[in-house]
Amino acid sequence: MAASLIRLHFHDCFVQGCDASILLNDSSSIQSEKNAPNNLNSVRGYDVIDDVKSEVESICPGIVSCADILAVAARDASVAVGGPTWTVNLGRRDSTTSGLSQAATNLPNFSDGLDRLISLFGSKGLSEREMVALSGSHTIGQARCVTFRDRINDNGTDIDAGFASTRRRRCPATNGDGDDNLAALDLVTPNSFDNNYFKNLIQKKGLLQSDQVLFSGGSTDSIVTGYSKSPSTFSSDFASAMVKMGNIEPLTGSAGEIRKLCSAIN
């Protein structure tokens, strides 16, 4: 679940800030972000957060927010697969609203180009370098065929032919056929947090279009090259970027609430 828990925190923070709005289910007053195009049938880990919340509530009721649990879980997920650790700032509160419409526009898409990614992360106060570092979380986790089908079938100059051929075996060209078949985002060490993701990009073996654009003759090429040569630089930059991402527009003081259940407002 490591990759999914890191992504859950990321998808939370990019919509209304790090406020656990992504965890709210549909209700009379809530249009759930879980139904946004980039979340539906894709984001997971909700049950893990619910389990943690119920344990925490039994010991320390009404104190620890779901938003803080998301932030801590992302850090612990990184550590669990050999990634860096960092000190998680605490004190976020939970939203009483969701941002379904924002989720459609504020989350990156697998087909996004470099300019779009730079502008999206920039709108959240994150630099190009931080964007590349955070993208390095794709050193773990998997993607569905529907997200990379076009890339492996386009015979583009930005993809290694052998890599494309291998990936086509489990991802048929026809829409609707094998859409949910999974492939590792990092084919070399799919379950280890390391810098192979960046080495893959240099070899034109990024699985998603939004991965490969980071090394495609643009302004981020030098950052990718640097991370491919120095795992320690990537590791420390990733940790710093996760802290900064976890500080996007938190609710503090008397804003929001501390939910009793992460999936519903009190």
Side-chain angles (χ1 to χ4, degrees):
M1 289 302 290
S4 296
L5 292 170
I6 292 172
R7 184 168 182 241
L8 191 53
H9 179 43
F10 164 49
H11 279 220
D12 179 38
C13 291
F14 265 51
V15 180
Q16 291 191 169
C18 309
D19 61 357
S21 58
I22 195 171
L23 303 178
L24 291 171
N25 286 336
D26 272 328
S27 72
S28 57
S29 63
I30 297 293
Q31 284 187 297
S32 178
E33 291 172 26
K34 294 179 182 182
N35 298 322
N38 289 8
N39 292 336
L40 190 64
N41 300 323
S42 172
V43 168
R44 54 189 207 126
Y46 302 116
D47 47 344
V48 175
I49 303 300
D50 286 341
D51 289 348
V52 173
K53 177 66 170 170
S54 68
E55 297 259 343
V56 171
E57 283 299 302
S58 68
I59 299 163
C60 180
I63 302 296
V64 182
S65 69
C66 301
D68 275 354
I69 291 172
L70 282 170
V72 174
R75 190 268 316 273
D76 291 355
S78 171
V79 173
V81 289
T85 187
W86 55 89
T87 301
V88 180
N89 294 327
L90 298 171
R92 298 169 194 79
R93 287 166 64 84
D94 298 323
S95 73
T96 54
T97 60
S98 71
L100 177 60
S101 58
Q102 275 186 47
T105 55
N106 286 12
L107 293 170
N109 195 288
F110 58 82
S111 59
D112 281 347
L114 185 58
D115 290 347
R116 163 78 181 146
L117 290 171
I118 290 170
S119 123
L120 195 57
F121 280 73
S123 72
K124 303 297 176 188
L126 296 162
S127 68
E128 280 186 37
R129 188 176 184 88
E130 287 161 340
M131 186 260 290
V132 175
L134 291 169
S135 299
S137 61
H138 285 182
T139 173
I140 53 172
Q142 305 185 94
R144 295 180 302 148
C145 163
V146 70
T147 63
F148 58 85
R149 172 179 283 132
D150 289 349
R151 173 160 160 73
I152 61 173
N153 284 291
D154 281 351
N155 297 314
T157 55
D158 63 345
I159 188 165
D160 176 86
F163 171 72
S165 167
T166 303
R167 286 293 174 246
R168 284 198 291 267
R169 282 181 215 152
R170 295 257 312 129
C171 183
T174 314
N175 282 334
D177 187 3
D179 282 5
D180 292 334
N181 291 357
L182 295 172
L185 288 158
D186 168 7
L187 75 168
V188 184
T189 50
N191 301 308
S192 297
F193 199 102
D194 54 32
N195 70 331
N196 278 328
Y197 167 81
F198 299 105
K199 295 178 184 177
N200 297 340
L201 296 185
I202 291 170
Q203 296 170 4
K204 301 186 177 180
K205 293 178 182 176
L207 185 61
L208 304 179
Q209 193 63 41
S210 56
D211 291 323
Q212 193 60 55
V213 294
L214 302 180
F215 191 84
S216 57
S219 57
T220 53
D221 282 19
S222 59
I223 306 170
V224 170
T225 302
Y227 289 158
S228 76
K229 292 175 177 167
S230 175
S232 61
T233 305
F234 163 53
S235 198
S236 65
D237 280 7
F238 179 77
S240 302
M242 284 296 287
V243 171
K244 191 164 171 186
M245 185 187 82
N247 292 344
I248 296 173
E249 299 168 27
L251 296 170
T252 56
S254 59
E257 65 181 18
I258 307 290
R259 284 185 216 142
K260 294 185 179 72
L261 290 173
C262 289
S263 58
I265 57 177
N266 294 344

